[in-house]
Amino acid sequence: MTVFRIYMKIAKKNMWVILMYLVIFFGITVMFQQFARQDVENYAAESIPVGIVDKDGGTAARSLAAYIGRTNKVVMLEEDREALQEDLFYRNVDYIIRIPEQFMEKCILGDDKVQVTAVPGSYTGYYVEQQMNNFLNFARTYGAAGFSEDEIGEAMSERETAEVELVDFSGNAGRTPAYAYFYRYLPYLFLSVLCYVLGYILMGFRRGSLPRRMKASAMPARVQTLQGLGAAGVLALGLWGICSVAVVFLYGSDFLGNGRSGWYLLNSFVMLLCALSLAFLVGSLVKSSNALNGITNLLGLGMCFICGVFVDMDLLSSGVRRAAQFLPVYWYENVNIILTEHGNIGGNVRMEVLGGIGIQLVFAAVFVCLTLAAAGEKNRKGQ
C-alpha cells in the first residue's frame, strides 16, 4: 500500500486547501440562502409609511385614508411645510398625500388632482400612487353612477383587497427549501477541492526521479494505479461524507422528511464522480502549481457561472444554456431544479431525473477515457 500511503500523505499536507474551500463553500451557501430564498411572506403587500394631510375631513377623505391604511402605515400630519420636509428627510414618511377642501367635488366628481410629495428616486412613491389612483378611479365610477359621498365611503370600505394563493406543486408550500441552496452550490466545492488536491498529488508523483523509480519498482503498474485510484476514492468519499453529514446537521428533519433526500444524495454522489474524474484529467495534464491554479479556477468558477450555480438558470440566455449542456454541472443543476419543483418523483419526472444522472455518468466515463488516453500518450513518449 505504498502508493496509497503517499497519496494520503500528500493530501494531508494540503489539508488547508480542503478546509479553506469548506469555509468558502459554507459561507457562500449561508449568504446566498439568506438573500436568494423566496418565502411566502414575500408575496404579502409591503407596508409604507404614508403621511396624509386632511384639509377636508369629509367621509370621502376619511375613506381614502382608510383605503391607503389597509396595506400601509398611515400618519396624519398637519399642514406645515417645514415639518413635512423634515418628515420626508428623516424618512418618518415616504409619501405625503394632501387631501384638499371639497375633496368630493374637486377630485372625485371633478378633474382636480390630489397633491402628493414623495422621496425623490424612491419606488415607494409609485407603489402608493397606484393605490391612491385605484381608489379615485373606483370612487369616480361610483360617483358617476349617482352614489352619494357616504355611499361611496361605504362601498370603498367593503371592497376586498386582492389575495395571492400559491399552488403547492412541489410539496414545499411555495417555498424553495433551504437545503436546495446547499446542493446548488455543491459543485463548486467538489471541483475546487478535488482538482487542487489531486493536482498536487499527481504533480508530486512526476517530480524528480520518482517516475523512473516507480517504473523500476517490483510493484506492477496496474497495482500502483489501483492504489492511487483507491486513495483518490477515499478522499472523494470523505468529502462527500462531510457534506452529507453537514446537510443533515444543518437542516435535519426538513431534509430527511422531504421524500427526496435519497435523490439529492444520489445526484450529489454522481456529481462527485464527475468532479473526481475531471480532477484526475487535470492532474495528469498540468505541470506546475500556477497552471493548476489557473485551470482549477477556470473550470470551477467558469462552469459554476454558466451552468446555473452562481446565476439562476432562468437568468441565463438561451445561447449560454445551449453551451452549458455540454458540461456535467448543467445536468446536475437541472436535476436539482426538478427535485425542488416536484414533490412526487415518479413517472416522467423520474425519467427526467434518471436521464440527468445518466448524462453525468457519461461525462465521468468520458473524462476517465481522456485521462487514460493522456496517460497512454505520455508512456508512449517516455515522459
Side-chain angles (χ1 to χ4, degrees):
M1 303 294 287
T2 305
V3 176
F4 182 90
R5 289 196 300 269
I6 295 176
Y7 264 74
M8 301 306 294
K9 186 176 181 179
I10 298 176
K12 185 177 180 180
K13 289 184 177 180
N14 293 278
M15 187 59 65
W16 64 272
V17 176
I18 300 176
L19 295 176
M20 179 184 69
Y21 276 96
L22 283 172
V23 171
I24 293 174
F25 167 73
F26 286 115
I28 289 176
T29 301
V30 172
M31 180 180 65
F32 278 92
Q33 180 179 312
Q34 294 299 322
F35 288 104
R37 183 171 54 189
Q38 296 180 351
D39 290 328
V40 175
E41 289 78 6
N42 291 344
Y43 291 93
E46 184 175 355
S47 179
I48 304 298
V50 180
I52 295 181
V53 179
D54 186 1
K55 296 182 179 179
D56 181 75
T59 303
R62 292 195 300 271
S63 180
L64 172 59
Y67 187 85
I68 297 297
R70 288 184 179 183
T71 55
N72 301 285
K73 178 183 177 182
V74 171
V75 180
M76 303 305 297
L77 303 174
E78 298 293 333
E79 180 62 68
D80 185 336
R81 183 175 180 179
E82 292 184 359
L84 294 178
Q85 289 177 342
E86 288 183 0
D87 285 330
L88 283 175
F89 180 81
Y90 291 110
R91 298 298 191 270
N92 296 327
V93 294
D94 288 350
Y95 198 81
I96 296 177
I97 300 174
R98 292 181 175 86
I99 302 177
E101 297 177 354
Q102 298 180 337
F103 173 62
M104 179 72 180
E105 293 75 12
K106 292 181 179 180
C107 299
I108 295 179
L109 300 179
D111 296 329
D112 289 1
K113 294 183 177 180
V114 178
Q115 186 179 2
V116 298
T117 307
V119 176
S122 173
Y123 77 92
T124 55
Y126 300 102
Y127 176 72
V128 180
E129 184 176 0
Q130 183 182 27
Q131 297 180 20
M132 184 183 67
N133 289 335
N134 286 339
F135 174 89
L136 292 175
N137 290 335
F138 284 122
R140 286 165 181 164
T141 301
Y142 291 134
F147 281 50
S148 66
E149 183 174 359
D150 290 337
E151 290 173 333
I152 290 175
E154 183 179 355
M156 292 304 301
S157 65
E158 293 177 353
R159 289 196 65 86
E160 297 182 358
T161 57
E163 295 183 359
V164 176
E165 181 179 354
L166 298 178
V167 180
D168 188 10
F169 290 112
S170 65
N172 298 317
R175 296 191 300 267
T176 299
Y179 52 80
Y181 293 97
F182 181 94
Y183 280 104
R184 173 177 169 176
Y185 304 116
L186 204 56
Y188 173 72
L189 176 66
F190 286 168
L191 290 170
S192 299
V193 171
L194 293 178
C195 283
Y196 269 117
V197 173
L198 291 183
Y200 281 121
I201 290 175
L202 294 175
M203 282 192 300
F205 274 87
R206 294 197 298 271
R207 290 175 181 170
S209 61
L210 185 57
R212 293 190 296 272
R213 291 166 58 189
M214 292 183 66
K215 288 182 180 180
S217 172
M219 181 183 297
R222 180 176 60 85
V223 176
Q224 296 177 15
T225 302
L226 290 176
Q227 289 188 17
L229 290 173
V234 169
L235 293 173
L237 284 175
L239 180 62
W240 182 75
I242 291 173
C243 295
S244 300
V245 171
V247 73
V248 174
F249 176 78
L250 291 173
Y251 308 109
S253 59
D254 289 341
F255 173 71
L256 295 176
N258 63 31
R260 302 181 297 278
S261 55
W263 289 105
Y264 278 107
L265 292 171
L266 176 60
N267 191 38
S268 65
F269 181 75
V270 175
M271 183 65 236
L272 178 79
L273 297 180
C274 289
L276 180 61
S277 58
L278 182 59
F280 256 105
L281 177 60
V282 171
S284 64
L285 295 178
V286 296
K287 298 181 179 180
S288 66
S289 58
N290 290 334
L292 178 63
N293 291 334
I295 293 177
T296 300
N297 288 329
L298 178 63
L299 290 176
L301 295 177
M303 279 200 283
C304 288
F305 270 109
I306 69 174
C307 293
V309 178
F310 295 143
V311 181
D312 287 336
M313 196 80 76
D314 294 336
L315 300 179
L316 300 175
S317 66
S318 58
V320 172
R321 294 183 66 171
R322 283 195 297 269
Q325 293 180 12
F326 294 94
L327 299 171
V329 177
Y330 171 87
W331 297 101
Y332 169 84
E333 293 297 337
N334 191 52
V335 171
N336 270 351
I337 292 173
I338 295 173
L339 295 177
T340 302
E341 293 180 348
H342 296 83
N344 182 22
I345 308 302
N348 293 333
V349 176
R350 181 190 293 266
M351 295 304 298
E352 289 185 37
V353 171
L354 291 176
I357 292 175
I359 292 175
Q360 293 178 68
L361 290 173
V362 171
F363 274 106
V366 169
F367 293 146
V368 171
C369 292
L370 291 175
T371 302
L372 295 176
E377 182 66 16
K378 285 186 176 182
N379 290 334
R380 186 181 66 83
K381 293 182 178 180
Q383 295 180 351

PDB file of all heavy atoms in Angstrom, residues 98-130:
ATOM      1  N   ARG A  98     -51.873  65.202   0.191  1.00  0.00           N
ATOM      2  CA  ARG A  98     -52.612  66.378   0.691  1.00  0.00           C
ATOM      3  C   ARG A  98     -54.032  66.311   0.123  1.00  0.00           C
ATOM      4  O   ARG A  98     -54.240  66.501  -1.077  1.00  0.00           O
ATOM      5  CB  ARG A  98     -51.918  67.664   0.256  1.00  0.00           C
ATOM      6  CG  ARG A  98     -50.561  67.899   0.912  1.00  0.00           C
ATOM      7  CD  ARG A  98     -49.961  69.216   0.428  1.00  0.00           C
ATOM      8  NE  ARG A  98     -48.726  69.534   1.104  1.00  0.00           N
ATOM      9  CZ  ARG A  98     -47.528  69.101   0.716  1.00  0.00           C
ATOM     10  NH1 ARG A  98     -47.428  68.312  -0.351  1.00  0.00           N
ATOM     11  NH2 ARG A  98     -46.447  69.451   1.383  1.00  0.00           N
ATOM     12  N   ILE A  99     -54.985  66.046   0.981  1.00  0.00           N
ATOM     13  CA  ILE A  99     -56.389  65.982   0.564  1.00  0.00           C
ATOM     14  C   ILE A  99     -56.964  67.393   0.673  1.00  0.00           C
ATOM     15  O   ILE A  99     -57.041  67.957   1.778  1.00  0.00           O
ATOM     16  CB  ILE A  99     -57.186  65.003   1.447  1.00  0.00           C
ATOM     17  CG1 ILE A  99     -56.559  63.613   1.390  1.00  0.00           C
ATOM     18  CG2 ILE A  99     -58.645  64.956   1.008  1.00  0.00           C
ATOM     19  CD1 ILE A  99     -57.236  62.594   2.291  1.00  0.00           C
ATOM     20  N   PRO A 100     -57.382  67.993  -0.432  1.00  0.00           N
ATOM     21  CA  PRO A 100     -57.838  69.394  -0.395  1.00  0.00           C
ATOM     22  C   PRO A 100     -59.256  69.519   0.165  1.00  0.00           C
ATOM     23  O   PRO A 100     -59.987  68.530   0.323  1.00  0.00           O
ATOM     24  CB  PRO A 100     -57.792  69.795  -1.870  1.00  0.00           C
ATOM     25  CG  PRO A 100     -58.075  68.524  -2.598  1.00  0.00           C
ATOM     26  CD  PRO A 100     -57.438  67.430  -1.784  1.00  0.00           C
ATOM     27  N   GLU A 101     -59.635  70.746   0.466  1.00  0.00           N
ATOM     28  CA  GLU A 101     -61.016  71.003   0.846  1.00  0.00           C
ATOM     29  C   GLU A 101     -61.932  70.694  -0.336  1.00  0.00           C
ATOM     30  O   GLU A 101     -61.535  70.793  -1.497  1.00  0.00           O
ATOM     31  CB  GLU A 101     -61.181  72.463   1.292  1.00  0.00           C
ATOM     32  CG  GLU A 101     -60.371  72.819   2.538  1.00  0.00           C
ATOM     33  CD  GLU A 101     -60.518  74.287   2.901  1.00  0.00           C
ATOM     34  OE1 GLU A 101     -61.156  75.035   2.121  1.00  0.00           O
ATOM     35  OE2 GLU A 101     -59.997  74.685   3.959  1.00  0.00           O
ATOM     36  N   GLN A 102     -63.152  70.321  -0.008  1.00  0.00           N
ATOM     37  CA  GLN A 102     -64.133  69.916  -1.022  1.00  0.00           C
ATOM     38  C   GLN A 102     -63.555  68.804  -1.906  1.00  0.00           C
ATOM     39  O   GLN A 102     -63.623  68.846  -3.124  1.00  0.00           O
ATOM     40  CB  GLN A 102     -64.550  71.131  -1.880  1.00  0.00           C
ATOM     41  CG  GLN A 102     -65.221  72.235  -1.076  1.00  0.00           C
ATOM     42  CD  GLN A 102     -65.625  73.411  -1.942  1.00  0.00           C
ATOM     43  OE1 GLN A 102     -65.072  73.636  -3.025  1.00  0.00           O
ATOM     44  NE2 GLN A 102     -66.590  74.182  -1.451  1.00  0.00           N
ATOM     45  N   PHE A 103     -62.994  67.811  -1.239  1.00  0.00           N
ATOM     46  CA  PHE A 103     -62.355  66.686  -1.935  1.00  0.00           C
ATOM     47  C   PHE A 103     -63.338  65.951  -2.844  1.00  0.00           C
ATOM     48  O   PHE A 103     -63.017  65.579  -3.970  1.00  0.00           O
ATOM     49  CB  PHE A 103     -61.767  65.728  -0.887  1.00  0.00           C
ATOM     50  CG  PHE A 103     -61.215  64.452  -1.439  1.00  0.00           C
ATOM     51  CD1 PHE A 103     -60.150  64.454  -2.325  1.00  0.00           C
ATOM     52  CD2 PHE A 103     -61.769  63.230  -1.065  1.00  0.00           C
ATOM     53  CE1 PHE A 103     -59.643  63.274  -2.829  1.00  0.00           C
ATOM     54  CE2 PHE A 103     -61.263  62.044  -1.559  1.00  0.00           C
ATOM     55  CZ  PHE A 103     -60.199  62.063  -2.447  1.00  0.00           C
ATOM     56  N   MET A 104     -64.563  65.760  -2.375  1.00  0.00           N
ATOM     57  CA  MET A 104     -65.563  65.058  -3.165  1.00  0.00           C
ATOM     58  C   MET A 104     -65.858  65.807  -4.463  1.00  0.00           C
ATOM     59  O   MET A 104     -65.860  65.222  -5.560  1.00  0.00           O
ATOM     60  CB  MET A 104     -66.841  64.893  -2.333  1.00  0.00           C
ATOM     61  CG  MET A 104     -67.971  64.198  -3.053  1.00  0.00           C
ATOM     62  SD  MET A 104     -67.657  62.433  -3.271  1.00  0.00           S
ATOM     63  CE  MET A 104     -69.177  61.964  -4.130  1.00  0.00           C
ATOM     64  N   GLU A 105     -66.097  67.117  -4.363  1.00  0.00           N
ATOM     65  CA  GLU A 105     -66.474  67.907  -5.537  1.00  0.00           C
ATOM     66  C   GLU A 105     -65.302  68.112  -6.488  1.00  0.00           C
ATOM     67  O   GLU A 105     -65.467  68.058  -7.714  1.00  0.00           O
ATOM     68  CB  GLU A 105     -67.047  69.258  -5.104  1.00  0.00           C
ATOM     69  CG  GLU A 105     -68.379  69.196  -4.377  1.00  0.00           C
ATOM     70  CD  GLU A 105     -68.256  68.704  -2.942  1.00  0.00           C
ATOM     71  OE1 GLU A 105     -67.099  68.637  -2.432  1.00  0.00           O
ATOM     72  OE2 GLU A 105     -69.278  68.363  -2.338  1.00  0.00           O
ATOM     73  N   LYS A 106     -64.106  68.362  -5.931  1.00  0.00           N
ATOM     74  CA  LYS A 106     -62.969  68.709  -6.773  1.00  0.00           C
ATOM     75  C   LYS A 106     -62.279  67.495  -7.406  1.00  0.00           C
ATOM     76  O   LYS A 106     -61.924  67.524  -8.593  1.00  0.00           O
ATOM     77  CB  LYS A 106     -61.937  69.497  -5.955  1.00  0.00           C
ATOM     78  CG  LYS A 106     -62.402  70.885  -5.543  1.00  0.00           C
ATOM     79  CD  LYS A 106     -61.306  71.598  -4.770  1.00  0.00           C
ATOM     80  CE  LYS A 106     -61.723  73.004  -4.362  1.00  0.00           C
ATOM     81  NZ  LYS A 106     -60.663  73.714  -3.607  1.00  0.00           N
ATOM     82  N   CYS A 107     -62.058  66.417  -6.630  1.00  0.00           N
ATOM     83  CA  CYS A 107     -61.202  65.319  -7.100  1.00  0.00           C
ATOM     84  C   CYS A 107     -61.971  64.069  -7.532  1.00  0.00           C
ATOM     85  O   CYS A 107     -61.464  63.294  -8.339  1.00  0.00           O
ATOM     86  CB  CYS A 107     -60.204  64.937  -5.997  1.00  0.00           C
ATOM     87  SG  CYS A 107     -59.106  66.277  -5.513  1.00  0.00           S
ATOM     88  N   ILE A 108     -63.181  63.870  -6.980  1.00  0.00           N
ATOM     89  CA  ILE A 108     -63.943  62.687  -7.360  1.00  0.00           C
ATOM     90  C   ILE A 108     -64.966  63.029  -8.436  1.00  0.00           C
ATOM     91  O   ILE A 108     -65.010  62.391  -9.503  1.00  0.00           O
ATOM     92  CB  ILE A 108     -64.621  62.064  -6.116  1.00  0.00           C
ATOM     93  CG1 ILE A 108     -63.545  61.554  -5.146  1.00  0.00           C
ATOM     94  CG2 ILE A 108     -65.560  60.919  -6.527  1.00  0.00           C
ATOM     95  CD1 ILE A 108     -64.101  60.938  -3.874  1.00  0.00           C
ATOM     96  N   LEU A 109     -65.776  64.053  -8.173  1.00  0.00           N
ATOM     97  CA  LEU A 109     -66.738  64.473  -9.183  1.00  0.00           C
ATOM     98  C   LEU A 109     -66.100  65.412 -10.199  1.00  0.00           C
ATOM     99  O   LEU A 109     -66.587  65.518 -11.337  1.00  0.00           O
ATOM    100  CB  LEU A 109     -67.936  65.163  -8.511  1.00  0.00           C
ATOM    101  CG  LEU A 109     -68.716  64.282  -7.504  1.00  0.00           C
ATOM    102  CD1 LEU A 109     -69.856  65.071  -6.900  1.00  0.00           C
ATOM    103  CD2 LEU A 109     -69.226  63.015  -8.194  1.00  0.00           C
ATOM    104  N   GLY A 110     -65.012  66.088  -9.813  1.00  0.00           N
ATOM    105  CA  GLY A 110     -64.316  66.983 -10.722  1.00  0.00           C
ATOM    106  C   GLY A 110     -63.036  66.350 -11.273  1.00  0.00           C
ATOM    107  O   GLY A 110     -62.797  65.151 -11.128  1.00  0.00           O
ATOM    108  N   ASP A 111     -62.198  67.178 -11.887  1.00  0.00           N
ATOM    109  CA  ASP A 111     -60.982  66.686 -12.538  1.00  0.00           C
ATOM    110  C   ASP A 111     -59.700  67.114 -11.827  1.00  0.00           C
ATOM    111  O   ASP A 111     -58.600  66.931 -12.361  1.00  0.00           O
ATOM    112  CB  ASP A 111     -60.926  67.189 -13.993  1.00  0.00           C
ATOM    113  CG  ASP A 111     -62.063  66.633 -14.838  1.00  0.00           C
ATOM    114  OD1 ASP A 111     -62.494  65.487 -14.554  1.00  0.00           O
ATOM    115  OD2 ASP A 111     -62.512  67.336 -15.775  1.00  0.00           O
ATOM    116  N   ASP A 112     -59.822  67.732 -10.650  1.00  0.00           N
ATOM    117  CA  ASP A 112     -58.620  68.166  -9.942  1.00  0.00           C
ATOM    118  C   ASP A 112     -57.805  66.957  -9.469  1.00  0.00           C
ATOM    119  O   ASP A 112     -58.351  65.886  -9.179  1.00  0.00           O
ATOM    120  CB  ASP A 112     -59.003  69.030  -8.726  1.00  0.00           C
ATOM    121  CG  ASP A 112     -59.522  70.387  -9.144  1.00  0.00           C
ATOM    122  OD1 ASP A 112     -59.602  70.634 -10.371  1.00  0.00           O
ATOM    123  OD2 ASP A 112     -59.898  71.175  -8.252  1.00  0.00           O
ATOM    124  N   LYS A 113     -56.486  67.140  -9.397  1.00  0.00           N
ATOM    125  CA  LYS A 113     -55.595  66.087  -8.926  1.00  0.00           C
ATOM    126  C   LYS A 113     -55.238  66.297  -7.460  1.00  0.00           C
ATOM    127  O   LYS A 113     -55.175  67.429  -6.983  1.00  0.00           O
ATOM    128  CB  LYS A 113     -54.310  66.060  -9.764  1.00  0.00           C
ATOM    129  CG  LYS A 113     -54.536  65.667 -11.217  1.00  0.00           C
ATOM    130  CD  LYS A 113     -53.223  65.587 -11.968  1.00  0.00           C
ATOM    131  CE  LYS A 113     -53.440  65.133 -13.409  1.00  0.00           C
ATOM    132  NZ  LYS A 113     -52.150  65.056 -14.156  1.00  0.00           N
ATOM    133  N   VAL A 114     -55.000  65.187  -6.773  1.00  0.00           N
ATOM    134  CA  VAL A 114     -54.572  65.240  -5.379  1.00  0.00           C
ATOM    135  C   VAL A 114     -53.085  65.580  -5.347  1.00  0.00           C
ATOM    136  O   VAL A 114     -52.283  64.946  -6.060  1.00  0.00           O
ATOM    137  CB  VAL A 114     -54.839  63.906  -4.670  1.00  0.00           C
ATOM    138  CG1 VAL A 114     -54.336  63.961  -3.224  1.00  0.00           C
ATOM    139  CG2 VAL A 114     -56.311  63.561  -4.709  1.00  0.00           C
ATOM    140  N   GLN A 115     -52.713  66.564  -4.543  1.00  0.00           N
ATOM    141  CA  GLN A 115     -51.318  66.963  -4.453  1.00  0.00           C
ATOM    142  C   GLN A 115     -50.545  65.972  -3.582  1.00  0.00           C
ATOM    143  O   GLN A 115     -50.963  65.643  -2.477  1.00  0.00           O
ATOM    144  CB  GLN A 115     -51.203  68.370  -3.864  1.00  0.00           C
ATOM    145  CG  GLN A 115     -49.785  68.921  -3.875  1.00  0.00           C
ATOM    146  CD  GLN A 115     -49.698  70.321  -3.308  1.00  0.00           C
ATOM    147  OE1 GLN A 115     -50.718  70.877  -2.872  1.00  0.00           O
ATOM    148  NE2 GLN A 115     -48.504  70.890  -3.299  1.00  0.00           N
ATOM    149  N   VAL A 116     -49.424  65.461  -4.125  1.00  0.00           N
ATOM    150  CA  VAL A 116     -48.626  64.465  -3.405  1.00  0.00           C
ATOM    151  C   VAL A 116     -47.158  64.878  -3.434  1.00  0.00           C
ATOM    152  O   VAL A 116     -46.717  65.629  -4.309  1.00  0.00           O
ATOM    153  CB  VAL A 116     -48.786  63.063  -4.037  1.00  0.00           C
ATOM    154  CG1 VAL A 116     -50.236  62.590  -3.949  1.00  0.00           C
ATOM    155  CG2 VAL A 116     -48.308  63.057  -5.479  1.00  0.00           C
ATOM    156  N   THR A 117     -46.400  64.361  -2.466  1.00  0.00           N
ATOM    157  CA  THR A 117     -44.954  64.573  -2.408  1.00  0.00           C
ATOM    158  C   THR A 117     -44.300  63.254  -2.012  1.00  0.00           C
ATOM    159  O   THR A 117     -44.735  62.613  -1.046  1.00  0.00           O
ATOM    160  CB  THR A 117     -44.581  65.645  -1.372  1.00  0.00           C
ATOM    161  OG1 THR A 117     -45.319  66.835  -1.631  1.00  0.00           O
ATOM    162  CG2 THR A 117     -43.090  65.946  -1.418  1.00  0.00           C
ATOM    163  N   ALA A 118     -43.272  62.852  -2.754  1.00  0.00           N
ATOM    164  CA  ALA A 118     -42.600  61.574  -2.495  1.00  0.00           C
ATOM    165  C   ALA A 118     -41.106  61.796  -2.344  1.00  0.00           C
ATOM    166  O   ALA A 118     -40.564  62.820  -2.770  1.00  0.00           O
ATOM    167  CB  ALA A 118     -42.869  60.586  -3.629  1.00  0.00           C
ATOM    168  N   VAL A 119     -40.440  60.839  -1.706  1.00  0.00           N
ATOM    169  CA  VAL A 119     -38.981  60.868  -1.611  1.00  0.00           C
ATOM    170  C   VAL A 119     -38.404  60.704  -3.015  1.00  0.00           C
ATOM    171  O   VAL A 119     -38.757  59.748  -3.716  1.00  0.00           O
ATOM    172  CB  VAL A 119     -38.471  59.742  -0.690  1.00  0.00           C
ATOM    173  CG1 VAL A 119     -36.950  59.707  -0.682  1.00  0.00           C
ATOM    174  CG2 VAL A 119     -39.011  59.913   0.718  1.00  0.00           C
ATOM    175  N   PRO A 120     -37.547  61.621  -3.468  1.00  0.00           N
ATOM    176  CA  PRO A 120     -37.013  61.531  -4.830  1.00  0.00           C
ATOM    177  C   PRO A 120     -36.293  60.209  -5.096  1.00  0.00           C
ATOM    178  O   PRO A 120     -35.507  59.746  -4.267  1.00  0.00           O
ATOM    179  CB  PRO A 120     -36.039  62.712  -4.906  1.00  0.00           C
ATOM    180  CG  PRO A 120     -36.505  63.666  -3.849  1.00  0.00           C
ATOM    181  CD  PRO A 120     -37.058  62.813  -2.755  1.00  0.00           C
ATOM    182  N   GLY A 121     -36.595  59.594  -6.230  1.00  0.00           N
ATOM    183  CA  GLY A 121     -35.919  58.362  -6.637  1.00  0.00           C
ATOM    184  C   GLY A 121     -36.367  57.124  -5.921  1.00  0.00           C
ATOM    185  O   GLY A 121     -35.735  56.071  -6.054  1.00  0.00           O
ATOM    186  N   SER A 122     -37.452  57.193  -5.148  1.00  0.00           N
ATOM    187  CA  SER A 122     -37.920  56.045  -4.387  1.00  0.00           C
ATOM    188  C   SER A 122     -39.050  55.349  -5.123  1.00  0.00           C
ATOM    189  O   SER A 122     -39.976  56.002  -5.631  1.00  0.00           O
ATOM    190  CB  SER A 122     -38.389  56.492  -2.998  1.00  0.00           C
ATOM    191  OG  SER A 122     -38.983  55.415  -2.303  1.00  0.00           O
ATOM    192  N   TYR A 123     -39.003  54.015  -5.174  1.00  0.00           N
ATOM    193  CA  TYR A 123     -40.065  53.250  -5.822  1.00  0.00           C
ATOM    194  C   TYR A 123     -41.345  53.275  -5.008  1.00  0.00           C
ATOM    195  O   TYR A 123     -42.441  53.019  -5.529  1.00  0.00           O
ATOM    196  CB  TYR A 123     -39.616  51.803  -6.007  1.00  0.00           C
ATOM    197  CG  TYR A 123     -39.658  50.967  -4.750  1.00  0.00           C
ATOM    198  CD1 TYR A 123     -40.786  50.219  -4.416  1.00  0.00           C
ATOM    199  CD2 TYR A 123     -38.574  50.946  -3.873  1.00  0.00           C
ATOM    200  CE1 TYR A 123     -40.828  49.474  -3.251  1.00  0.00           C
ATOM    201  CE2 TYR A 123     -38.620  50.210  -2.708  1.00  0.00           C
ATOM    202  CZ  TYR A 123     -39.741  49.469  -2.405  1.00  0.00           C
ATOM    203  OH  TYR A 123     -39.775  48.737  -1.259  1.00  0.00           O
ATOM    204  N   THR A 124     -41.246  53.580  -3.704  1.00  0.00           N
ATOM    205  CA  THR A 124     -42.432  53.557  -2.854  1.00  0.00           C
ATOM    206  C   THR A 124     -43.463  54.581  -3.291  1.00  0.00           C
ATOM    207  O   THR A 124     -44.670  54.384  -3.082  1.00  0.00           O
ATOM    208  CB  THR A 124     -42.034  53.825  -1.386  1.00  0.00           C
ATOM    209  OG1 THR A 124     -41.311  55.067  -1.306  1.00  0.00           O
ATOM    210  CG2 THR A 124     -41.142  52.713  -0.859  1.00  0.00           C
ATOM    211  N   GLY A 125     -42.988  55.673  -3.913  1.00  0.00           N
ATOM    212  CA  GLY A 125     -43.929  56.665  -4.399  1.00  0.00           C
ATOM    213  C   GLY A 125     -44.864  56.100  -5.448  1.00  0.00           C
ATOM    214  O   GLY A 125     -46.082  56.328  -5.415  1.00  0.00           O
ATOM    215  N   TYR A 126     -44.332  55.305  -6.375  1.00  0.00           N
ATOM    216  CA  TYR A 126     -45.159  54.686  -7.405  1.00  0.00           C
ATOM    217  C   TYR A 126     -46.117  53.666  -6.786  1.00  0.00           C
ATOM    218  O   TYR A 126     -47.248  53.496  -7.248  1.00  0.00           O
ATOM    219  CB  TYR A 126     -44.276  54.012  -8.445  1.00  0.00           C
ATOM    220  CG  TYR A 126     -43.335  54.967  -9.142  1.00  0.00           C
ATOM    221  CD1 TYR A 126     -41.993  55.038  -8.787  1.00  0.00           C
ATOM    222  CD2 TYR A 126     -43.784  55.802 -10.161  1.00  0.00           C
ATOM    223  CE1 TYR A 126     -41.123  55.911  -9.417  1.00  0.00           C
ATOM    224  CE2 TYR A 126     -42.933  56.698 -10.798  1.00  0.00           C
ATOM    225  CZ  TYR A 126     -41.599  56.743 -10.415  1.00  0.00           C
ATOM    226  OH  TYR A 126     -40.749  57.617 -11.049  1.00  0.00           O
ATOM    227  N   TYR A 127     -45.638  52.983  -5.761  1.00  0.00           N
ATOM    228  CA  TYR A 127     -46.440  51.950  -5.102  1.00  0.00           C
ATOM    229  C   TYR A 127     -47.687  52.566  -4.458  1.00  0.00           C
ATOM    230  O   TYR A 127     -48.806  52.081  -4.661  1.00  0.00           O
ATOM    231  CB  TYR A 127     -45.570  51.255  -4.048  1.00  0.00           C
ATOM    232  CG  TYR A 127     -46.254  50.225  -3.214  1.00  0.00           C
ATOM    233  CD1 TYR A 127     -46.615  48.991  -3.745  1.00  0.00           C
ATOM    234  CD2 TYR A 127     -46.529  50.463  -1.871  1.00  0.00           C
ATOM    235  CE1 TYR A 127     -47.245  48.040  -2.967  1.00  0.00           C
ATOM    236  CE2 TYR A 127     -47.148  49.521  -1.081  1.00  0.00           C
ATOM    237  CZ  TYR A 127     -47.509  48.298  -1.632  1.00  0.00           C
ATOM    238  OH  TYR A 127     -48.129  47.357  -0.868  1.00  0.00           O
ATOM    239  N   VAL A 128     -47.510  53.655  -3.690  1.00  0.00           N
ATOM    240  CA  VAL A 128     -48.644  54.294  -3.022  1.00  0.00           C
ATOM    241  C   VAL A 128     -49.515  55.031  -4.029  1.00  0.00           C
ATOM    242  O   VAL A 128     -50.749  55.042  -3.924  1.00  0.00           O
ATOM    243  CB  VAL A 128     -48.144  55.247  -1.923  1.00  0.00           C
ATOM    244  CG1 VAL A 128     -49.329  55.927  -1.226  1.00  0.00           C
ATOM    245  CG2 VAL A 128     -47.300  54.502  -0.909  1.00  0.00           C
ATOM    246  N   GLU A 129     -48.891  55.651  -5.030  1.00  0.00           N
ATOM    247  CA  GLU A 129     -49.654  56.383  -6.034  1.00  0.00           C
ATOM    248  C   GLU A 129     -50.613  55.459  -6.788  1.00  0.00           C
ATOM    249  O   GLU A 129     -51.740  55.846  -7.119  1.00  0.00           O
ATOM    250  CB  GLU A 129     -48.704  57.068  -7.015  1.00  0.00           C
ATOM    251  CG  GLU A 129     -49.412  57.938  -8.037  1.00  0.00           C
ATOM    252  CD  GLU A 129     -48.434  58.680  -8.923  1.00  0.00           C
ATOM    253  OE1 GLU A 129     -47.217  58.507  -8.739  1.00  0.00           O
ATOM    254  OE2 GLU A 129     -48.892  59.423  -9.806  1.00  0.00           O
ATOM    255  N   GLN A 130     -50.170  54.227  -7.044  1.00  0.00           N
ATOM    256  CA  GLN A 130     -51.041  53.276  -7.708  1.00  0.00           C
ATOM    257  C   GLN A 130     -52.262  52.965  -6.850  1.00  0.00           C
ATOM    258  O   GLN A 130     -53.398  52.873  -7.350  1.00  0.00           O
ATOM    259  CB  GLN A 130     -50.271  51.992  -8.016  1.00  0.00           C
ATOM    260  CG  GLN A 130     -51.080  50.955  -8.789  1.00  0.00           C
ATOM    261  CD  GLN A 130     -50.298  49.689  -9.031  1.00  0.00           C
ATOM    262  OE1 GLN A 130     -49.394  49.352  -8.269  1.00  0.00           O
ATOM    263  NE2 GLN A 130     -50.641  48.970 -10.092  1.00  0.00           N
TER     264      GLN A 130
END
